[in-house]
Amino acid sequence: MYIYLYLNIATILFPLLLSFDRKVAFYKSWPALWPAILLNAAFFIVWDVLFTRAGVWGFNPEYLTGIYFLGLPLEEILFFITVPYACVFIYEVLCAYIRKDLLQPYAKHIALLLVLVLPLIAVFNISKLYTSVTFVLLAIMHLVHLRFFDAKYLGRFYLAYLVHLIPFLLVNGVLTYLPVVWYDNGFNLGLRIVSIPVEDTMYSMLLLLMTITLYEGLRERRRRKQYEALAV
């Protein structure tokens, strides 16, 4: 059964079909979106290869097509395309349909709290590779985002993150319950949301924040170039 492949298809199918909705018009963002997704995917694939070789996690061939690249299943590589696409789609839909930035007043406080707390958890669990690496990278990513955007997009980002947790729990629940993806608890805190390692919630936040940061950065760059072209 190709369950992981089917989950990838289900993840991207509706966001892709709805990308042509008139109000959101998500397809118009593709020139900034696809480079952001591909740059993001390159980073996470390298990370994935290293952690798979280290035995931090692995994959059950019973639920895969059997096609591998760099030691990773095809489905795992597709994950870094389908999931960011769907998550940025959620982000843009919320921006289009909820005009008020509800979490903006709290965004910087949330970011600074994560920057302070996550490295502390990482330090006290330095031997747990999944925990320490994910938490430190998420803290660093927040600092990078604050440096370049302050809290301009963080309120919208946190709202999208909260909404994305619904499909995240469903899809990741299937992946970890069967399991399609297994984890060695020696590399994580051993705390689970049913079958999902708690680190996955932070990993998913990092995946989404890195994509949004690249996406908004590339989009701002395109806007500046268009403005400069008009000014000439």
Side-chain angles (χ1 to χ4, degrees):
M1 295 186 292
Y2 302 153
I3 288 178
Y4 200 175
L5 180 62
Y6 298 149
L7 286 173
N8 270 302
I9 293 170
T11 297
I12 200 171
L13 181 61
F14 290 106
L16 194 59
L17 292 175
L18 295 173
S19 294
F20 301 93
D21 168 76
R22 287 186 179 180
K23 187 165 185 177
V24 180
F26 191 47
Y27 70 94
K28 293 181 179 179
S29 299
W30 284 358
L33 176 67
W34 287 113
I37 287 177
L38 293 175
L39 286 169
N40 196 53
F43 173 82
F44 277 90
I45 287 169
V46 171
W47 180 1
D48 210 332
V49 168
L50 295 174
F51 270 36
T52 300
R53 289 177 181 174
V56 176
W57 54 54
F59 308 93
N60 188 342
E62 183 179 349
Y63 303 107
L64 305 173
T65 59
I67 302 170
Y68 289 80
F69 296 97
L70 302 173
L72 296 179
L74 169 65
E75 296 86 344
E76 180 76 351
I77 292 171
L78 290 175
F79 174 91
F80 296 117
I81 297 172
T82 61
V83 170
Y85 187 98
C87 288
V88 180
F89 176 77
I90 290 171
Y91 171 83
E92 286 292 356
V93 167
L94 292 172
C95 288
Y97 285 92
I98 302 177
R99 305 305 299 176
K100 185 176 180 180
D101 192 347
L102 301 174
L103 296 181
Q104 181 59 28
Y106 318 104
K108 201 163 189 176
H109 301 293
I110 295 170
L112 292 174
L113 180 64
L114 290 171
V115 167
L116 290 172
V117 171
L118 291 175
L120 286 175
I121 298 173
V123 167
F124 285 106
N125 295 277
I126 196 70
S127 64
K128 299 183 183 299
L129 204 56
Y130 187 23
T131 309
S132 57
V133 171
T134 303
F135 286 20
V136 166
L137 288 177
L138 182 54
I140 292 171
M141 194 65 239
H142 270 88
L143 288 172
V144 170
H145 193 93
L146 288 169
R147 166 65 179 81
F148 288 100
F149 298 125
D150 193 30
K152 183 177 179 181
Y153 300 110
L154 279 175
R156 296 288 188 183
F157 164 75
Y158 289 134
L159 181 61
Y161 173 75
L162 290 173
V163 172
H164 115 288
L165 286 175
I166 298 169
F168 162 81
L169 291 171
L170 291 172
V171 172
N172 214 29
V174 173
L175 289 175
T176 55
Y177 182 78
L178 290 174
V180 178
V181 182
W182 55 261
Y183 294 82
D184 184 335
N185 280 342
F187 294 104
N188 60 57
L189 294 172
L191 302 175
R192 303 256 175 165
I193 304 170
V194 186
S195 60
I196 303 168
V198 71
E199 287 84 356
D200 276 10
T201 61
M202 297 294 97
Y203 182 92
S204 188
M205 180 182 279
L206 176 61
L207 179 69
L208 178 52
L209 181 58
M210 189 176 290
T211 308
I212 293 293
T213 302
L214 290 167
Y215 170 66
E216 291 293 5
L218 289 168
R219 195 154 64 160
E220 285 196 4
R221 185 181 177 187
R222 284 177 58 82
R223 287 180 188 139
R224 282 196 303 270
K225 285 186 175 180
Q226 289 171 351
Y227 176 79
E228 288 168 1
L230 289 172
V232 172

